[in-house]
Amino acid sequence: MDESRATGAAPVDILLVEDNPGDVRLTEEAFKEGNIENTLHVVGDGVEALDFLYQRGEYTDAPRPEIVLLDLNLPRKNGDEVLAEVKGDPNLRRIPVIVLTSSKSEEDVVKSYDLHANAYLIKPVDPFEFIKTVATFEDLWFSIVRLPEHEQ
């Protein structure tokens, strides 16, 4: 990974796949409060997520995200289907996919990891705890974890 990414000098592209406008707003708020400059791209369903990642349709100029935050309960194509497709594609599988969902189901946790999710985070109901969770995620994934570089 480029050293400037670790220090926050260059913007980090994050794809948020979320259909709940309230959760989108809270995530945006949490990232604004963080120490790392980022560009949060938001899509509202699984089909749009794959179009963004494959740079299809209206997303032909979309950047390749350094990380994907993926809700499981999505319209048109659910999070499991998106996760399976991303992790099954040699050109996309190295992008870390973090499941960020309200589901506490052990079945969902196991299935997500079976599909090679990089982490599974449960969205807190309390807005302040939600922001704290996203901020903690940001600190970990962009200050401590080393991500692989990707081909342009």
Side-chain angles (χ1 to χ4, degrees), residues 9-78:
V12 173
D13 285 299
I14 301 164
L15 176 60
L16 174 62
V17 187
E18 174 61 68
D19 65 324
N20 181 320
D23 288 349
V24 170
R25 188 177 36 60
L26 287 172
T27 304
E28 289 170 338
E29 226 175 279
F31 279 120
K32 281 180 191 163
E33 291 179 15
N35 297 327
I36 297 165
E37 186 179 341
N38 62 69
T39 304
L40 188 65
H41 307 274
V42 180
V43 296
D45 65 51
V47 171
E48 282 185 76
L50 292 170
D51 286 348
F52 187 99
L53 290 164
Y54 286 113
Q55 298 177 313
R56 299 185 295 223
E58 67 181 282
Y59 302 106
T60 55
D61 294 327
R64 180 184 173 106
E66 272 77 19
I67 206 153
V68 175
L69 291 173
L70 178 66
D71 188 19
L72 290 181
N73 303 311
L74 297 167
R76 299 204 302 162
K77 189 173 277 234
N78 71 37

Side-chain angles (χ1 to χ4, degrees), residues 1-2 5-6 12-13 65-67 94-98 118 140-150:
M1 179 166 104
D2 176 320
R5 293 227 186 266
V12 173
D13 285 299
E66 272 77 19
I67 206 153
R94 287 188 185 157
I95 299 172
V97 178
I98 310 304
N118 296 86
L140 173 67
W141 282 92
F142 296 116
S143 296
I144 299 170
V145 172
R146 180 162 188 239
L147 299 173
E149 287 192 46
H150 58 269

